[in-house]
Amino acid sequence: MVLFVAGVALVALLPEGFWSGWGRSGSEASVPVGQAATAGGTGPLTPNAPRAAPPQQGMVPFEQAPQMRFDGKIQQLTELQQRDGQIHIWVHDVSGREVEISVAPNWFLAYMGCTLTHDIPVSGVGFRFDQQGGDPLIYAQRIRVNGKICRLRNDEGFALWSNRLR
């Protein structure tokens, strides 16, 4: 029993990549973590070395969607079942323009305790994914309703009510 416990402890203390070389032929090179293989052997990974493959033709590199603040009284409130099944609100921004905000499905807002009604003040932060067109839609990341902050999307804009995050 003592030998078994000592063996488990010894295996636990081995370096992380110790077992990765087992079963490889002698012609395959092993590169330690944090180093890159070069023509002359191994060397430290330099800060200027590329970390990802260059974008392929037709691919657009990922860019973080700009965050937008919104603040005002709800002028209009609609549930768009045919479009995305979410509650959309319209508020006037500081310049007086009407801004459309996609909030969340009604069932999720009820679950979060965020009841939206006409003429109540709301504020929050959201994303503008589509930069085309005159009045792009804002997707609310978080919204303050009656003093309560409701989180609706993560930092990348994915809906918290979606099962794709699990």
Side-chain angles (χ1 to χ4, degrees):
M1 180 66 170
V2 173
L3 285 176
F4 176 74
V5 171
V8 170
L10 179 64
V11 170
L13 295 174
L14 290 174
E16 192 172 306
F18 181 80
W19 298 107
S20 62
W22 287 81
R24 288 187 180 159
S25 67
S27 62
E28 292 178 315
S30 174
V31 179
V33 175
Q35 294 189 346
T38 61
T42 62
L45 189 60
T46 62
N48 296 330
R51 298 205 181 274
Q56 297 178 358
Q57 186 176 14
M59 300 292 287
V60 177
F62 174 79
E63 290 183 20
Q64 180 77 27
Q67 285 193 328
M68 308 297 296
R69 293 193 179 279
F70 57 90
D71 187 20
K73 284 187 179 180
I74 297 177
Q75 303 298 313
Q76 184 179 344
L77 178 107
T78 307
E79 185 172 9
L80 299 175
Q81 285 296 335
Q82 296 82 10
R83 194 157 142 199
D84 59 8
Q86 297 177 26
I87 299 292
H88 286 237
I89 60 173
W90 284 260
V91 299
H92 287 106
D93 65 10
V94 292
S95 65
R97 289 185 336 161
E98 196 169 59
V99 178
E100 181 181 359
I101 303 162
S102 177
V103 184
N106 198 27
W107 65 266
F108 187 73
L109 291 170
Y111 173 76
M112 297 292 291
C114 290
T115 305
L116 299 175
T117 57
H118 194 268
D119 285 334
I120 64 168
V122 294
S123 62
V125 177
F127 299 102
R128 279 206 169 141
F129 294 108
D130 183 15
Q131 297 300 313
Q132 309 299 321
D135 294 320
L137 180 66
I138 295 176
Y139 292 87
Q141 178 185 16
R142 60 184 176 272
I143 189 169
R144 180 185 300 267
V145 180
N146 294 324
K148 180 177 182 169
I149 297 176
C150 300
R151 299 193 185 282
L152 307 171
R153 291 177 174 82
N154 69 8
D155 290 339
E156 295 172 339
F158 291 108
L160 297 180
W161 60 88
S162 172
N163 63 358
R164 294 182 185 158
L165 296 175
R166 293 182 191 164

